[in-house]
Amino acid sequence: MEFFLENYSILSFAIFLYMTLWFFIALLLKRSDIADIAWGLGFILVVWISYFLKDFSENRGFLISILVSIWGLRLAGHIYLRNRGKEEDYRYKKWRNEWGKWFYMRTYAQVFLLQGTLLLLVVSPAVIGIIFQGESLDLRDGIGICIWMYGFLFESVGDFQLSKFIKNPQNKGKIMQSGLWAYTRHPNYFGEVTQWWGIWILSLATPFGWLGIIGPLAITFLIVKISGIPLLEENMKKNPDFQKYASRVSIFFPLPPRKE
């Protein structure tokens, strides 16, 4: 455990510097929503620092590093393409207006540093799975990989379907209700959460792997109760079609749509 705490202190300092750098980039670009791109890339930084800090080679640690990197790169790339050429995300524009003269101080503390802290919490099962020597890969790891792949496909396909829907001028002002979006109002969020439960299962064969459950629990709570679904649906409620859609389709878990 001492080895784990020593590594986490190094990772914490690295993320502090990383988020501070992104804060200054946000100042230069005059858009704080760049923090959303920094989120996915930050996980990649953490897992590879963890991997190269250890003094032994282990297949599970390398596998976890690859899976987290695939997730982080796809997410960061998707958000970059989604925001390219557009105004700053409405959430950050709202804070810019509400926080007034305290905007920069609060953005640094409540967006970048807080996000870095949450990142270190969510990534904990990956770090545990990487830095500790575990048992040989077995059926449990296969289950973890399958769960991760299911979540990755769900998030990726959901994002692709929504991007295609938004690009069609005929859909302006409409709510996406087909594809995966016919079974859950947030397939991308469901997919992201599912991936982290898969990573946790992969870490269970290592010492203290059970402690990593704090990661998937944290991302589930954040997305379902705090910064994901609640903020997005608050904005979606402005659309007159939302209530009808919400009455038929599950908010998070994919389920057959209810009959009207």
Side-chain angles (χ1 to χ4, degrees):
M1 181 56 73
E2 183 179 351
F3 176 64
F4 174 75
L5 294 176
E6 289 177 358
N7 277 267
Y8 237 78
S9 63
I10 295 173
L11 296 174
S12 298
F13 184 65
I15 286 298
F16 170 76
L17 295 178
Y18 173 79
M19 285 301 181
T20 300
L21 173 62
W22 277 97
F23 170 68
F24 284 111
I25 294 175
L27 293 182
L28 290 173
L29 298 179
K30 297 181 180 179
R31 54 184 307 160
S32 299
D33 58 356
I34 199 169
D36 295 339
I37 298 175
W39 172 255
L41 298 179
F43 284 88
I44 299 173
L45 176 67
V46 168
V47 295
W48 287 109
I49 290 178
S50 301
Y51 185 79
F52 288 111
L53 278 175
K54 67 180 185 178
D55 56 1
F56 57 87
S57 178
E58 203 253 333
N59 291 334
R60 182 176 291 102
F62 183 71
L63 175 62
I64 290 174
S65 300
I66 291 295
L67 295 181
V68 172
S69 297
I70 291 172
W71 166 78
L73 284 172
R74 192 215 68 86
L75 181 63
H78 169 73
I79 294 173
Y80 169 75
L81 293 174
R82 184 188 68 189
N83 294 347
R84 185 176 58 178
K86 298 179 181 178
E87 294 183 351
E88 185 179 41
D89 186 277
Y90 71 93
R91 296 167 298 167
Y92 297 93
K93 289 179 69 174
K94 179 182 177 183
W95 292 335
R96 191 180 292 272
N97 294 328
E98 290 178 350
W99 293 346
K101 66 179 182 179
W102 296 104
F103 173 74
Y104 295 109
M105 185 70 72
R106 292 186 66 172
T107 296
Y108 180 53
Q110 293 179 227
V111 175
F112 288 90
L113 292 187
L114 177 59
Q115 185 164 278
T117 302
L118 295 174
L119 188 159
L120 288 168
L121 195 63
V122 174
V123 80
S124 56
V127 174
I128 290 172
I130 292 168
I131 67 175
F132 287 114
Q133 181 78 48
E135 303 168 10
S136 299
L137 294 174
D138 56 22
L139 178 61
R140 179 170 46 189
D141 297 288
I143 293 172
I145 293 170
C146 288
I147 291 174
W148 182 90
M149 289 181 64
Y150 177 72
F152 180 78
L153 289 173
F154 222 95
E155 182 179 27
S156 302
V157 172
D159 279 338
F160 174 77
Q161 290 175 339
L162 182 60
S163 296
K164 188 176 180 180
F165 178 84
I166 292 174
K167 288 177 181 177
N168 188 341
Q170 295 181 351
N171 294 327
K172 187 174 182 179
K174 297 180 181 180
I175 290 180
M176 175 72 171
Q177 301 186 43
S178 59
L180 295 180
W181 301 81
Y183 301 95
T184 166
R185 304 203 296 267
H186 304 280
N188 47 354
Y189 285 150
F190 171 77
E192 181 165 342
V193 166
T194 300
Q195 287 172 83
W196 283 104
W197 283 101
I199 293 295
W200 174 63
I201 291 174
L202 278 167
S203 74
L204 284 178
T206 62
F208 308 107
W210 59 274
L211 283 174
I213 196 173
I214 192 171
L217 285 176
I219 192 65
T220 303
F221 181 73
L222 286 170
I223 283 180
V224 175
K225 295 295 185 181
I226 305 296
S227 63
I229 291 175
L231 285 179
L232 185 56
E233 295 217 335
E234 181 182 354
N235 190 58
M236 291 174 67
K237 288 176 182 178
K238 299 174 184 177
N239 190 307
D241 296 329
F242 176 74
Q243 290 301 332
K244 189 175 181 180
Y245 174 60
S247 68
R248 293 187 302 105
V249 179
S250 168
I251 188 172
F252 185 67
F253 290 103
L255 296 170
R258 293 179 285 272
K259 295 182 179 181
E260 298 183 20

